[in-house]
Amino acid sequence: MNHTTHPPDHTVRERTGAATAAPPPARTAARRRPTSQQWAAWAFLAPVTLYLVLFYAYPLYRNLDLSLRDYTVRSFVQGNAPFTGLENYRKVLDDPTFGPALVHTVVFTAVCLVFQYAVGLALAVFFNQHFRLSATLRALFLVPWLLPLIVSASTWSWMLNSDSGIVNSLLSVVGVDPVHWLTSPEWSLTSVIIANIWIGVPFNLVVLYSGLQSIPHSLYEAAALDGANAWRRFWSITLPLLRPVSAITLLLGLVYTLKVFDIIWIMTKGGPADASTTFATWSYRLGFGNLLPAFGPGAAVGNLLVVAALVFGLVYLRVQRKQAMA
């Protein structure tokens, strides 16, 4: 007796090409649930998000709130300061210190950026020759960058002291009269600029040297075979290929230099007679340097620095986008 077995219905449907049944609702719901990889991604993002909210978003919001209200010490603690709108910004713009502080901030930032980049680039090209002891000398140039800023500023204050500083002692050897570096309105801004350049050169050296390492050496060899001298190779190969690294170096240097406070405050405290006052030191002096602090105007000056850094950052992004599309 022959027994014929029949395959299940779903097997017949698959062989005949018929449509299969829809997955059960439980399986569809399971697919919509976050997977373990997605939970892991959120777990890794959570600390960064919390850090940005606590140390960036909230301070910016708090600083904006300070600049829009009339805060006193009591209202700062109790939290019932009246809303004044843009009154604090008007006070800042009408303050006699605004004009000199703006000029000093621009001069301080521009001069430091130019000299830090120029000296850093020259040193990077020099150390790119890979001569003996180049690694040791390059490490020594990093010392100003590794020292705490309070140590560097205190050292420069001692070196530029009018009476016992080593700089005036060296100048006296060649017959130059002592210079009042830190106590003269004509020299105080120059003094803090010199100190900040010395501190910022190692950063430019490290970043630009790393950029030089990515340039193929074969390009220099081909240019040398074509008769290009060292200066021509620098202008035609080094600078163009180093442009992206130079852009980010200048942007980071700009943001850092705009907010330099500790060097100026330790060396001159913005004086004498506001001769070295910048927006950073002025903001601190308004908010914390007086017996009756002006929290609102101090926050307003700080917000002006934030806006300036944001504008330059947007300009940098726009330039980078144009270069990428070119």
Side-chain angles (χ1 to χ4, degrees), residues 175-238:
V176 178
D177 295 333
V179 178
H180 301 286
W181 296 98
L182 304 177
T183 58
S184 171
E186 292 79 14
W187 288 101
S188 58
L189 184 62
T190 303
S191 302
V192 296
I193 288 176
I194 293 173
N196 192 65
I197 291 174
W198 180 79
I199 293 172
V201 164
F203 171 76
N204 288 260
L205 167 61
V206 171
V207 178
L208 295 174
Y209 179 80
S210 300
L212 289 176
Q213 296 299 300
S214 63
I215 300 177
H217 190 68
S218 58
L219 296 178
Y220 294 102
E221 294 178 349
L225 291 176
D226 291 338
N229 55 23
W231 190 249
R232 183 62 180 175
R233 293 196 298 269
F234 174 79
W235 283 103
S236 301
I237 299 176
T238 303

Side-chain angles (χ1 to χ4, degrees), residues 46-300:
V48 178
T49 305
L50 183 63
Y51 174 80
L52 292 177
V53 170
L54 291 179
F55 296 100
Y56 284 89
Y58 178 73
L60 287 175
Y61 161 75
R62 186 61 175 155
N63 203 58
L64 180 62
D65 180 71
L66 283 172
S67 67
L68 299 177
R69 296 180 182 274
D70 185 16
Y71 273 97
T72 61
V73 177
R74 175 177 296 180
S75 60
F76 185 82
V77 176
Q78 296 178 351
N80 56 353
F83 182 80
T84 58
L86 301 178
E87 180 64 22
N88 289 320
Y89 292 91
R90 187 191 64 81
K91 290 180 180 179
V92 167
L93 295 177
D94 293 340
D95 196 297
T97 310
F98 177 80
L102 176 62
V103 174
H104 298 158
T105 302
V106 172
V107 172
F108 179 83
T109 304
V111 174
C112 287
L113 278 181
V114 170
F115 278 91
Q116 285 175 354
Y117 178 81
V119 177
L121 180 59
L123 291 174
V125 173
F126 174 72
F127 286 117
N128 197 38
Q129 307 302 318
H130 300 292
F131 55 91
R132 175 182 274 185
L133 297 179
S134 62
T136 303
L137 293 177
R138 194 167 65 249
L140 292 177
F141 271 98
L142 296 180
V143 172
W145 192 30
L146 300 177
L147 288 175
L149 290 177
I150 188 172
V151 175
S152 300
S154 301
T155 303
W156 276 100
S157 297
W158 169 75
M159 293 174 58
L160 296 177
N161 186 276
S162 302
D163 300 323
S164 58
I166 188 174
V167 175
N168 278 344
S169 298
L170 294 176
L171 291 177
S172 64
V173 174
V174 295
V176 178
D177 295 333
V179 178
H180 301 286
W181 296 98
L182 304 177
T183 58
S184 171
E186 292 79 14
W187 288 101
S188 58
L189 184 62
T190 303
S191 302
V192 296
I193 288 176
I194 293 173
N196 192 65
I197 291 174
W198 180 79
I199 293 172
V201 164
F203 171 76
N204 288 260
L205 167 61
V206 171
V207 178
L208 295 174
Y209 179 80
S210 300
L212 289 176
Q213 296 299 300
S214 63
I215 300 177
H217 190 68
S218 58
L219 296 178
Y220 294 102
E221 294 178 349
L225 291 176
D226 291 338
N229 55 23
W231 190 249
R232 183 62 180 175
R233 293 196 298 269
F234 174 79
W235 283 103
S236 301
I237 299 176
T238 303
L239 276 185
L241 296 181
L242 206 61
R243 189 176 301 163
V245 179
S246 299
I248 191 63
T249 303
L250 291 173
L251 176 64
L252 293 176
L254 173 68
V255 174
Y256 168 78
T257 309
L258 277 175
K259 64 182 184 65
V260 167
F261 160 77
D262 33 22
I263 299 172
I264 302 176
W265 191 258
I266 292 173
M267 294 182 64
T268 64
K269 288 185 171 56
D274 293 334
S276 58
T277 295
T278 61
F279 277 173
T281 58
W282 188 28
S283 176
Y284 176 83
R285 190 174 62 194
L286 287 173
F288 304 99
N290 298 317
L291 294 177
L292 296 176
F295 293 116

